[in-house]
Amino acid sequence: MKRGRVPFLLTFLVPPLVLFGIFVLSPFAQAFYLSITDWTGLTPDFNIVGLQNYKYILGIGAPPDLTFWRGLRNNLILLVLVPLITIAIALFFATMLNLSGARAGQIRGVWGAPAYRFLFFVPQVISVAALGIMFQQVFQPRGLLNSLLSVVGIDGPTWLADDRFALGAVITVMVWMHVGFYMVYFSAAMAAIPRELLEAASIDQASKFQTFFRITLPLLWPAVQTALIYLAIFCLDGLAIIQVMTVGPGGPNGATEVMALSVYRSFKEQAWIGYASAQAVVVFFLTSILLALAFRITRREQVEL
């Protein structure tokens, strides 16, 4: 029986591993190799320059690449704000739609919850390019937002052309993009919470805040941790929405610059493939370290039902 299991397992394991090696590991290996060259991508010839590209990124022997480090700063701001705001709003809406009150002795959500879930989920079926163009028009000097502000006598700024507000506008759009999905995700996780626990808390006259923080949130923590990880990965990228939506892109004055945009600019516009690969390797290691820290910080004992 054991002899038959080995060929059976190899039949199913080898093809995926081969494909993974070709399409995932191989590009990573090529990027590491190209990062120690001066290849421009325009000719077949290039020279091995060792760690010169990395030295330029770090500012060793030359002025540092301020654009890349400005992008790192903005990525860290996104990493802190977008997941926290998105998860907080998504948890609030999910709780209102599923566990907002008791009717006929049972914990239920608001009336019409399925319709609300559908409306909140709509942004997920809109492409990032369409969202970027749509919100670019919303934040125009004569766009929808400033038109609404003018009704109450407020003269709105040029949101995307002012370095004080541009990153805030991007954060607003990123949160709007993801709230609906994670609201539905948390709603599905809430369906697995035993209603007996919530009804017992209601009978004991526990407040809604006590019920949420002592029962609902601990039982939802694995789902919250997953949401944090996926949102962190998104925030360490953010290329698509920023490239479509912002001035430059990445402007004004680098206010919305991110690391991925710096890599793209070095690769596509400057034809500096070796340096772009070195930037990509740095992004890879920074992302890996930050995600490992996120796993470590958010790790908790799973609540057994």
Side-chain angles (χ1 to χ4, degrees):
M1 188 68 179
K2 290 183 179 180
R3 292 180 181 177
R5 285 180 59 188
V6 174
F8 176 79
L9 292 174
L10 290 177
T11 302
F12 283 93
L13 289 177
V14 171
L17 290 176
V18 171
L19 293 175
F20 182 80
I22 294 174
F23 294 106
V24 178
L25 297 182
S26 176
F28 274 114
Q30 292 181 42
F32 279 100
Y33 175 67
L34 291 175
S35 70
I36 61 172
T37 70
D38 62 355
W39 190 40
T40 62
L42 303 177
T43 64
D45 302 321
F46 56 84
N47 300 309
I48 303 295
V49 296
L51 300 178
Q52 187 61 43
N53 291 325
Y54 296 99
K55 291 180 179 178
Y56 182 69
I57 294 173
L58 298 174
I60 299 175
D65 186 355
L66 296 180
T67 301
F68 181 80
W69 293 108
R70 190 181 296 117
L72 173 60
R73 179 202 64 188
N74 291 335
N75 275 120
L76 292 176
I77 294 173
L78 295 176
L79 184 64
V80 172
L81 295 180
V82 173
L84 292 179
I85 298 173
T86 301
I87 290 174
I89 297 175
L91 281 172
F92 172 76
F93 285 136
T95 303
M96 291 298 101
L97 293 179
N98 295 275
L99 309 174
S100 60
R103 294 199 304 272
Q106 295 183 346
I107 301 296
R108 298 173 182 266
V110 297
W111 182 85
Y116 289 118
R117 290 193 193 98
F118 171 77
L119 291 175
F120 279 114
F121 195 76
V122 166
Q124 297 301 312
V125 301
I126 304 176
S127 70
V128 174
L131 285 175
I133 294 172
M134 180 177 70
F135 276 98
Q136 189 182 55
Q137 299 305 312
V138 169
F139 287 112
Q140 287 294 326
R142 296 186 179 180
L144 176 62
L145 180 56
N146 281 352
S147 298
L148 293 175
L149 291 175
S150 65
V151 174
V152 294
I154 299 176
D155 187 15
T158 52
W159 298 95
L160 296 177
D162 192 325
D163 53 13
R164 296 173 299 171
F165 304 108
L167 188 61
V170 170
I171 291 173
T172 301
V173 177
M174 288 182 172
V175 171
W176 188 86
M177 288 170 59
H178 291 94
V179 162
F181 174 82
Y182 288 103
M183 184 271 296
V184 174
Y185 177 57
F186 293 143
S187 295
M190 286 179 182
I193 297 177
R195 291 301 187 265
E196 295 82 0
L197 294 176
L198 302 173
E199 292 166 5
S202 178
I203 293 172
D204 291 338
Q205 297 183 343
S207 67
K208 291 184 178 181
F209 284 100
Q210 290 174 325
T211 302
F212 177 79
F213 285 106
R214 296 188 180 184
I215 297 177
T216 306
L217 186 58
L219 294 175
L220 287 179
W221 189 254
V224 172
Q225 184 185 38
T226 302
L228 281 170
I229 298 305
Y230 278 102
L231 284 169
I233 293 172
F234 171 78
C235 291
L236 290 171
D237 178 17
L239 171 66
I241 188 67
I242 289 176
Q243 188 173 27
V244 175
M245 181 179 164
T246 61
V247 178
N253 300 323
T256 57
E257 184 76 29
V258 290
M259 292 185 293
L261 185 59
S262 180
V263 175
Y264 174 83
R265 192 178 290 114
S266 298
F267 180 87
K268 189 72 174 179
E269 299 178 3
Q270 300 174 0
W272 198 355
I273 307 302
Y275 181 64
S277 299
Q279 288 178 308
V281 170
V282 173
V283 172
F284 169 76
F285 280 112
L286 287 174
T287 302
S288 301
I289 292 170
L290 290 173
L291 288 179
L293 289 174
F295 272 115
R296 180 72 177 177
I297 294 171
T298 60
R299 187 176 62 185
R300 291 178 53 177
E301 293 293 333
Q302 186 170 355
V303 177
E304 297 292 341
L305 298 178

